[in-house]
Amino acid sequence: MNRNKEEFREEFRLLGLRIAYHRKKLGLTQEQLADELGCSWSFLSQLEANSSKRIHAPSLLLLFRMAKLFGIPVSKLFED
C-alpha cells in the first residue's frame, strides 16, 4: 500500500486550523508557541497554513506537547 500525505491534504489543513485556533485561544503568537514546543516558528507557521505544495506533518511528540499546553486531549486536534 503506497500512500502519501497528499491523500490527506484536507485533514492536514484542518489540523493546522485547529492548532491555530487553540494557540489564539491562549493568546499566544506563533513565535511564543514555537518556543514553548521547541520547534521553529517557520515550521509552526507552515503547519498552521498547510496551503503550499508541500504538506507539513507534525510528529506525535509535537502533537502531544501541543495538547498538553492547550489543556486538551490530543484527540481534540482531530475532531470537527
Side-chain angles (χ1 to χ4, degrees):
M1 192 180 293
N2 185 15
R3 297 181 184 231
N4 61 33
K5 291 185 281 188
E6 186 61 39
E7 178 179 358
F8 301 102
R9 178 172 286 283
E10 181 62 10
E11 286 82 356
F12 281 109
R13 187 185 72 78
L14 292 173
L15 175 61
L17 290 174
R18 291 183 195 109
I19 291 168
Y21 168 80
H22 288 289
R23 174 183 59 77
K24 291 174 184 176
K25 190 174 171 184
L26 287 180
L28 297 173
T29 65
Q30 288 179 334
E31 293 87 352
Q32 290 168 324
L33 180 58
D35 286 344
E36 290 285 333
L37 297 172
C39 68
S40 71
W41 162 81
S42 61
F43 177 75
L44 184 60
S45 174
Q46 293 167 348
L47 181 62
E48 285 188 3
N50 255 331
S51 58
S52 63
K53 282 187 173 184
R54 184 165 178 235
I55 295 174
H56 300 275
S59 68
L60 284 174
L61 179 59
L62 190 62
L63 290 173
F64 285 124
R65 284 181 181 158
M66 283 182 196
K68 184 175 181 177
L69 183 68
F70 296 153
I72 61 171
V74 73
S75 61
K76 285 283 187 193
L77 294 172
F78 298 95
E79 294 175 1
D80 289 331

